[in-house]
DNA sequence: TCTCTGATTCGACGGTCGTCGAGACAGGCG
DNA sequence: CGCCTGTCTCGACGACCGTCGAATCAGAGA
């Protein structure tokens, strides 16, 4: 179960716990905002958004850095830096297998963020 | 209809056009990422996330700056700056009525962002 | 063991961000 | 009209961010 009492961390948002009712449903508490905002911030860069998409949509659910890097006009260290940002935001996991490192999306967090942004289909009855 | 050919802007994402298939469905093109990332970036600050929530969940669908400001330990200019950021990201609209200014959420963009983050309920068959 | 390749860390640079105080603008009211 | 209240703009400051090259680490293979 998630820890209680002390400060929340992004790691507690893995499952489908009802931590985050829709943003338009009621005020997001300051503590919750402090936990969620870094995830949106990590998504707030075009390069990271594309990286996230490439990882999440890769077949097998994972992508190798060696496949990610050549898709951008950026140096290896820069891509590595962006991947670290995504990892520290709790959006992806990394695993080394031999020479290569594979990144994998964390669907739980993505679901939480999507749920937070969910809006009723229409304002009608 | 949305303009075509030239560069896309956030204003073209108002309706429910299928501009944004889920992130995990396929690679987000660089152009799309450049348009969407600023919206996530705007949500990437705890103060703005709370402001967005307060506006979206306000009764009547709108919130007055005079009700927003006292909820934070920040000066008026700072709150105004954050509201401007949300406005320039296309997330809210502002309207002046007499002395007061009211902010209102734009559900279309919120829906697009939520759709982008949507993940299948499970990896099952 | 040595070397080679893939990935990360480190240090540095210019640019942007969040915050503030001071001042300007807008509208209501005496 | 003048004043007051609410909101925004402007300039400034320290902190953080995106990018790079150089150096370092981790494995694989000769």
């Amino acid at each position: 179960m998630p820890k209680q009492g002390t400060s929340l961390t992004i790691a507690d948002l893995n499952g489908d716990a009802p931590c985050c009712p829709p943003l338009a449903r009621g005020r997001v508490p300051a503590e919750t905002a402090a936990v969620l905002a870094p995830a949106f911030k990590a998504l707030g860069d075009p390069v990271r958004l594309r990286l996230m998409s490439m990882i999440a949509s890769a077949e097998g659910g994972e992508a190798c850095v060696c496949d990610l890097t050549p898709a951008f006009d950026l140096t290896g260290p820069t891509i590595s830096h962006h991947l670290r940002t995504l990892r520290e935001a709790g959006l992806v996991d990394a695993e080394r297998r031999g020479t290569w490192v594979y990144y994998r999306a964390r669907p739980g967090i993505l679901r939480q963020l999507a749920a937070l942004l969910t809006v009723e289909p229409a304002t009608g009855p």
Side-chain angles (χ1 to χ4, degrees), chain A residues 7-18:
Chain A
S7 70
L8 210 52
T9 76
I10 194 74
D12 300 327
L13 307 180
N14 251 333
D16 294 304

Side-chain angles (χ1 to χ4, degrees), chain A residues 37-53 72 74 78-79 81-83 85-86 91:
Chain A
F40 284 117
K41 188 173 181 180
L43 258 14
D45 180 277
V47 173
R48 288 194 293 265
L49 199 52
R50 289 171 64 196
L51 281 171
M52 193 67 214
S53 157
F72 300 86
L74 294 170
T78 298
I79 296 297
H81 160 73
H82 283 306
L83 288 170
T85 302
L86 288 174
L91 292 166

Side-chain angles (χ1 to χ4, degrees), chain A residues 20-109:
Chain A
C20 317
L23 202 155
R25 241 337 165 200
R27 302 193 172 188
V28 172
E31 260 195 34
T32 306
V35 174
L36 263 359
F40 284 117
K41 188 173 181 180
L43 258 14
D45 180 277
V47 173
R48 288 194 293 265
L49 199 52
R50 289 171 64 196
L51 281 171
M52 193 67 214
S53 157
M54 293 170 74
I55 295 169
S57 69
E59 56 180 332
E62 62 183 15
C64 173
V65 175
C66 59
D67 292 329
L68 263 16
T69 304
F72 300 86
D73 272 343
L74 294 170
T75 65
T78 298
I79 296 297
S80 189
H81 160 73
H82 283 306
L83 288 170
R84 179 218 272 267
T85 302
L86 288 174
R87 195 163 10 110
E88 288 177 345
L91 292 166
V92 300
D93 271 330
E95 183 193 354
R96 171 165 223 126
R97 283 207 300 278
T99 304
W100 295 279
V101 176
Y102 295 86
Y103 280 78
R104 178 178 293 272
R106 294 165 73 118
I109 314 259

